[in-house]
């Protein structure tokens, strides 16, 4: 919704991004907050989430609200879950064009902050520079993957198997499976 404080729709009817998701500030960290969400539109006043689950839920609702496809975030998180001991999967350049467009400029950024990513020198990083992620952190990543897959299915609908055309032999060759047979 558009308000007097912030316009959220252009003249053409296109939505305008107005929220900011930040790593927890020093004072938020002392209060054990997972991330700060500054949104002049919804909810107002700005929200600070105390738990990772609440932060993630807010981000999922925001993705749904603005139609953000979670595929790219899923790809990064799946790599982390598959390789929790390899730091290269937990370090992402924020200048990467695809990452910037598909994750960094929408609620995907909040998902990463809620899971413990921190901005460091043009990168966003999670966990120790050397060594493996803790089992609890891996469990959080796997839970986020599960939630994002549900969101993706909800947004795109369930996959339906491709039906064979009439006369097909099951190998994609309509009418050729019975050549020479009467």
């Amino acid at each position: 919704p558009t308000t007097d404080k912030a316009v959220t729709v252009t003249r053409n009817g296109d939505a305008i991004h107005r929220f900011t998701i930040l790593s927890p500030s020093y004072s938020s960290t002392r209060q054990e907050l997972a991330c700060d969400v500054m949104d002049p539109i919804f909810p107002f006043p700005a929200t600070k989430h105390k738990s990772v689950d609440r932060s993630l839920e807010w981000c999922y609702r925001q993705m749904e609200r603005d139609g953000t496809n979670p595929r790219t975030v899923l790809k990064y998180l799946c790599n982390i879950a598959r390789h929790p001991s390899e730091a290269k999967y937990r370090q992402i350049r924020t200048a990467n064009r695809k990452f910037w467009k598909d994750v960094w400029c929408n609620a995907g950024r909040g998902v990463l902050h809620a899971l413990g990513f921190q901005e460091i020198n043009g990168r966003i990083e999670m966990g120790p520079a050397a060594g493996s992620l803790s089992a609890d952190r891996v469990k959080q990543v796997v839970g986020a993957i599960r939630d994002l897959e549900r969101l993706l299915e909800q947004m795109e609908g369930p996959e339906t198997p491709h039906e064979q055309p009439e006369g097909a032999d099951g190998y994609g060759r309509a009418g050729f499976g019975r050549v020479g047979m009467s």
Side-chain angles (χ1 to χ4, degrees), residues 34-166:
C35 81
D36 295 348
V37 178
M38 306 310 237
D39 187 345
I41 309 299
F42 177 78
F44 191 80
T47 303
K48 295 186 179 198
H49 297 286
K50 196 162 197 157
S51 75
V52 172
D53 292 335
R54 296 260 340 244
S55 298
L56 289 171
E57 188 59 40
W58 188 93
C59 293
Y60 303 150
R61 282 195 321 257
Q62 185 63 31
M63 289 176 124
E64 197 171 15
R65 176 178 157 195
D66 65 10
T68 301
N69 190 316
R71 283 188 189 279
T72 305
V73 177
L74 271 167
K75 184 175 181 182
Y76 284 108
L77 295 180
C78 286
N79 282 336
I80 292 168
R82 280 190 213 107
H83 310 283
S85 61
E86 295 184 45
K88 71 178 184 179
Y89 293 104
R90 301 186 315 259
Q91 299 171 346
I92 307 165
R93 282 183 322 113
T94 56
N96 175 310
R97 183 182 292 164
K98 182 150 181 73
F99 178 78
W100 183 268
K101 183 176 127 275
D102 294 348
V103 178
W104 202 241
C105 290
N106 60 52
R109 180 180 194 168
V111 170
L112 298 180
H113 279 302
L115 289 172
F117 276 84
Q118 295 181 337
E119 297 175 51
I120 302 170
N121 299 327
R123 293 180 176 271
I124 184 162
E125 301 179 3
M126 174 191 217
S132 186
L133 283 179
S134 69
D136 288 340
R137 187 64 64 155
V138 173
K139 189 185 256 186
Q140 286 176 333
V141 170
V142 170
I145 290 169
R146 186 182 59 246
D147 294 341
L148 288 168
E149 285 174 341
R150 271 192 233 124
L151 177 63
L152 182 63
E153 185 176 320
Q154 184 179 6
M155 292 172 82
E156 294 182 347
E159 285 189 36
T160 56
H162 299 288
E163 292 185 29
Q164 292 287 325
E166 189 174 323

Side-chain angles (χ1 to χ4, degrees), residues 9-49:
V9 180
T10 65
R11 289 183 193 151
N12 300 337
D14 297 329
I16 300 173
H17 166 81
R18 290 289 182 206
F19 67 91
T20 305
I21 302 170
L22 307 166
S23 292
S25 61
Y26 177 73
S27 62
S28 295
T29 304
R30 292 188 68 206
Q31 296 173 30
E32 298 179 8
L33 298 174
C35 81
D36 295 348
V37 178
M38 306 310 237
D39 187 345
I41 309 299
F42 177 78
F44 191 80
T47 303
K48 295 186 179 198
H49 297 286

